[in-house]
Amino acid sequence: MSPGTYNLKFTFGLKDIDNKDGEHQLLNSVNFNVPAMLGGGYHYMQFDGKFLNNNDEETGFNFHAIRAVDRTNPNDLKFEDTSFEVDLGTVEIVKNTIIEIKMDVSEWFKTPNTWNLNELHTVLMPNFEAQKMISENGKSVFTLGKIN
């Protein structure tokens, strides 16, 4: 990359045109495939963990981001591209510049949708509305860190 001023942007997820089964061998090898019953393609993110539920019991969660699919009619799936562009603004690039991109994990659960893990902690992939909420929340997750 030549030295200069650049607008730093990236896409979280895969645009529909690029989200096709078998296209990305590295993603195939790390189990990022989405089941055919959900339209195939790939996960954007697999975020798994544990939380304390309302009964103070340790409970697992699977916060997986994929393209939203409305399965109301299993013979006619309706898709919504839930990938999004992240614009981190303008950066000055010189020789051997290192750019830090930060991700505030807590933002996946806060803005603009307050996420209640007691209600939405598993089976999110086939949940059309949950996938749209994950996408909406993701837009406040990433920020520009240090530039060296």
Side-chain angles (χ1 to χ4, degrees), residues 59-84:
T59 304
F61 71 86
N62 304 113
F63 196 79
H64 292 193
I66 66 170
R67 164 183 52 198
V69 57
D70 181 347
R71 298 177 58 229
T72 304
N73 178 353
N75 297 318
D76 185 25
L77 301 179
K78 305 282 189 227
F79 298 101
E80 184 171 321
D81 185 350
T82 50
S83 66
F84 56 89

Side-chain angles (χ1 to χ4, degrees), residues 28-58:
N28 293 338
S29 68
V30 292
N31 297 320
F32 258 64
N33 306 73
V34 171
M37 67 181 260
L38 296 175
Y42 296 95
H43 283 80
Y44 303 162
M45 172 181 69
Q46 293 183 34
F47 176 20
D48 302 314
K50 294 183 179 184
F51 71 103
L52 293 177
N53 68 19
N54 286 338
N55 297 321
D56 209 29
E57 301 165 326
E58 194 174 89

